[in-house]
Amino acid sequence: MTTDAVRRHEPEIKTFASDNYAGIHPEVLEAIALANGGHQVSYGDDAYTEALQGVFRRHFGDHVEALPVFNGTAANVLSLRSMCAPWEAVVCPDSAHINTDEGGAPEVTGGLKLLPVATPDGKLTPELIDQQAWGFGDVHRAQPRVVSISNATELGTLYTPAEIKAVCDHAHELGMFVHLDGSRITNAAAALDVPLRALTTDAGVDMLSFGGTKIGLMLGEAVVVLNPSAAKGLPYLRKTGMQLASKMRFVSVQFEALLGGDLWLRNARQANGMARRLADAVRGLPGVRVAREVEANAVFAILPGDVADRLRKRFRFYNWNERIGGGEVEVRWMCAFDTTEADVDAFVAALTQELHA
């Protein structure tokens, strides 16, 4: 068999910009090939999507329903739309992905009102929720209906099961639902050494956006309904939101490869472990300080801006905060499931060279 396609990148080159940069895990790629050939019913009525429900139920509970979608923004918007009437609103950290990095999709596509709360570490507490969860019954104020949290957060911090339960208990007392943006939920569970349901179902979360792309899938996230009474019209919202895949078997089979065994855990442990290795290696370098505790697969560091600019020509990564002052910037270095010890060591060696240039 021949192909006219041409390889247009160097497979051995790794970066520290995003875990989205990584390719497809070989076991996932093998599963996609396994699902190929012959005909299967389209739009989710295939054998692989049917089997997918059992896979998710083993991790999250017998009552859950998983709806595959193309990407994380869609998973978040559809989850929140299904829980909110047009006059209702979502309380979230000001650093939340839905507030800072989704191009206004919750507002533009979902018609959602976001009520952001400033947090020191990207995490909400019952006390912080109360800063925006008020005005119930006031016709002049958007009615708070959902609390949205992320685990891991955009600042790389983690909620423990007890912290999530405290958020859920408080939100439920207020008559609100809880949504969890789990684009890196596997990294969180691996770091805390707990089952996925400990951070979701058992803690009281109503709706989960389960992330697959960052942990080895080609494409695909899933809206996971943990509390059936929280979601309304999701199948119809998915269709009108242009997220109903015609050849859904190729999305669904990836989750079976990821969650059917321990691939999710192996991948998450690898990414988390390489982040710890990177943080440990740079802590002793003059001019570099690790800015935040490394809890999952993200390393935030402060270093001279000119060093960051030179290093970025060799390894791609992003500035996180350019307003540090004194010529310094805060950067974010992400490790992925395919990041190796050799990748980390090469990056640290390059950083050391640039610090002494």
Side-chain angles (χ1 to χ4, degrees):
M1 181 180 295
T2 61
T3 177
D4 291 330
V6 177
R7 172 166 279 164
R8 302 184 186 277
H9 77 293
E10 298 296 332
E12 67 275 8
I13 294 178
K14 305 287 183 60
T15 76
F16 291 82
S18 172
D19 34 8
N20 279 324
Y21 279 38
I24 310 167
H25 191 280
E27 293 178 36
V28 174
L29 196 57
E30 183 180 350
I32 294 172
L34 181 71
N36 198 24
H39 288 199
Q40 277 281 294
V41 183
S42 57
Y43 298 109
D45 291 326
D46 59 272
Y48 296 93
T49 303
E50 180 182 358
L52 177 71
Q53 302 307 316
V55 172
F56 272 93
R57 285 168 183 164
R58 286 199 297 274
H59 285 283
F60 296 101
D62 293 339
H63 61 288
V64 310
E65 180 183 9
L67 289 79
V69 296
F70 291 115
N71 57 56
T73 296
N76 287 335
V77 172
L78 292 177
S79 295
L80 296 172
R81 281 189 69 192
S82 73
M83 291 187 283
C84 283
W87 57 88
E88 293 175 330
V90 179
V91 177
C92 64
D94 59 356
S95 59
H97 202 269
I98 57 173
N99 189 49
T100 62
D101 287 294
E102 295 188 345
E107 296 92 335
V108 174
T109 303
L112 296 159
K113 173 66 174 177
L114 301 182
L115 301 174
V117 179
T119 71
D121 56 2
K123 295 161 59 174
L124 288 178
T125 64
E127 294 75 21
L128 289 172
I129 290 169
D130 286 343
Q131 291 185 16
Q132 288 284 20
W134 55 271
F136 297 98
D138 182 352
V139 72
H140 300 286
R141 177 169 169 78
Q143 296 295 285
R145 183 56 166 164
V146 177
V147 173
S148 182
I149 61 176
S150 304
N151 206 18
T153 73
E154 287 67 32
L155 300 183
T157 50
L158 300 180
Y159 288 87
T160 65
E163 289 172 326
I164 296 176
K165 186 176 188 306
V167 165
C168 292
D169 287 348
H170 188 67
H172 294 157
E173 288 172 2
L174 296 172
M176 302 175 68
F177 296 125
V178 176
H179 162 256
L180 193 151
D181 179 346
S183 66
R184 296 186 177 97
I185 186 69
T186 52
N187 297 95
L192 294 167
D193 195 25
V194 297
L196 291 165
R197 66 175 294 153
L199 299 172
T200 52
T201 310
D202 294 346
V205 173
D206 298 291
M207 189 81 70
L208 167 68
S209 298
F210 183 91
T213 308
K214 291 180 173 64
I215 202 67
L217 270 59
M218 179 176 72
L219 60 85
E221 319 287 299
V223 176
V224 186
V225 182
L226 304 175
N227 175 8
S229 66
K232 294 180 175 62
L234 257 174
Y236 308 102
L237 290 171
R238 180 172 59 170
K239 176 62 175 178
T240 59
M242 299 170 284
Q243 290 293 315
L244 183 65
S246 57
K247 297 184 179 181
M248 196 181 294
R249 58 170 151 158
F250 299 110
V251 182
S252 298
V253 73
Q254 297 178 81
F255 286 107
E256 187 171 2
L258 184 71
L259 295 171
D262 68 347
L263 180 59
W264 69 272
L265 186 58
R266 286 186 278 127
N267 284 358
R269 284 176 172 168
Q270 177 68 19
N272 294 352
M274 291 304 98
R276 290 192 298 272
R277 182 183 182 89
L278 175 56
D280 290 343
V282 303
R283 279 196 176 97
L285 297 179
V288 179
R289 6 191 244 284
V290 177
R292 308 170 194 272
E293 185 176 351
V294 178
E295 298 185 10
N297 64 321
V299 179
F300 293 84
I302 296 173
L303 67 160
D306 60 337
V307 172
D309 289 340
R310 293 196 303 270
L311 181 62
R312 201 169 3 251
K313 295 177 181 179
R314 303 168 67 174
F315 292 88
R316 189 177 177 91
F317 59 89
Y318 295 113
N319 285 352
W320 185 259
N321 183 359
E322 299 181 354
R323 299 182 297 276
I324 299 296
E328 293 183 318
V329 295
E330 182 179 6
V331 301
R332 187 192 72 169
W333 297 323
M334 296 297 304
C335 294
F337 73 88
D338 62 349
T339 305
T340 66
E341 293 183 357
D343 296 328
V344 172
D345 295 347
F347 181 77
V348 174
L351 172 58
T352 302
Q353 291 174 0
E354 297 301 343
L355 286 167
H356 293 92

